[in-house]
Amino acid sequence: MMNISAEKMKRLLDLIKNKYFLVTVAFVVWMIFFDRNDLFSQYQYHQQLNKLEQERDFYKTETANVNRDLDELSSDKVKLEKFAREKYLMKKDNEDVFVVEREKAE
């Protein structure tokens, strides 16, 4: 039993003394912790990329909605009039405009 553990210790010492092993370990440690593109930086870049992709998707849908509304308003006079009354509180001389908004549940 002692012979096996002594043999393992000798292998371990030989591995530690190997210059190629030491250079490889030093390189891996440098790349993981000290390089400009270390693991922490890569994680931050990934998080930032996800955030930017979410913003891109949000703005794409908002742009599509605005373009759809613009097409509707430029083609339908009734909807344009309704939009002007609700958004800008425009009215004819002989009428009053009341805008009723429902409260959002929190």
Side-chain angles (χ1 to χ4, degrees), residues 3 7 18 20 26 31 37 39-41 49 57 64-65 77 90 96 98 102:
N3 194 11
E7 188 177 309
N18 187 339
Y20 298 111
M31 293 304 289
N37 295 319
L39 288 179
F40 182 69
S41 297
L49 178 65
D57 294 340
N65 291 339
K77 186 177 179 182
M90 293 183 172
D96 292 327
F98 297 98
R102 297 181 185 199

Side-chain angles (χ1 to χ4, degrees), residues 81-90 97-99 101:
E81 189 174 318
K82 179 183 176 194
F83 178 79
R85 289 171 187 256
E86 290 177 356
K87 184 80 171 179
Y88 298 107
L89 302 176
M90 293 183 172
V97 176
F98 297 98
V99 178
E101 292 183 5

Side-chain angles (χ1 to χ4, degrees), residues 8-104:
K8 287 183 181 180
M9 286 297 283
K10 184 177 182 314
R11 277 186 171 173
L12 184 61
L13 286 174
D14 287 343
L15 184 63
I16 291 174
K17 289 180 183 178
N18 187 339
K19 63 183 173 183
Y20 298 111
F21 176 74
L22 292 176
V23 168
T24 303
V25 168
F27 176 74
V28 168
V29 168
W30 180 266
M31 293 304 289
I32 290 176
F33 296 109
F34 301 113
D35 190 50
R36 194 176 95 205
N37 295 319
D38 62 352
L39 288 179
F40 182 69
S41 297
Q42 290 295 325
Y43 178 74
Q44 287 179 331
Y45 294 150
H46 183 69
Q47 294 296 322
Q48 185 178 11
L49 178 65
N50 288 340
K51 180 182 171 195
L52 291 173
E53 286 175 345
Q54 289 175 350
E55 287 180 12
R56 180 200 61 200
D57 294 340
F58 170 76
Y59 287 121
K60 278 186 177 181
T61 57
E62 286 299 310
T63 303
N65 291 339
V66 168
N67 286 334
R68 182 179 35 82
D69 290 343
L70 179 63
D71 290 341
E72 287 178 359
L73 293 176
S74 59
S75 64
D76 191 3
K77 186 177 179 182
V78 175
K79 287 187 179 181
L80 178 62
E81 189 174 318
K82 179 183 176 194
F83 178 79
R85 289 171 187 256
E86 290 177 356
K87 184 80 171 179
Y88 298 107
L89 302 176
M90 293 183 172
K91 63 180 182 112
K92 294 182 182 176
D93 290 334
N94 61 352
E95 67 183 8
D96 292 327
V97 176
F98 297 98
V99 178
V100 179
E101 292 183 5
R102 297 181 185 199
E103 291 184 19
K104 294 181 181 177

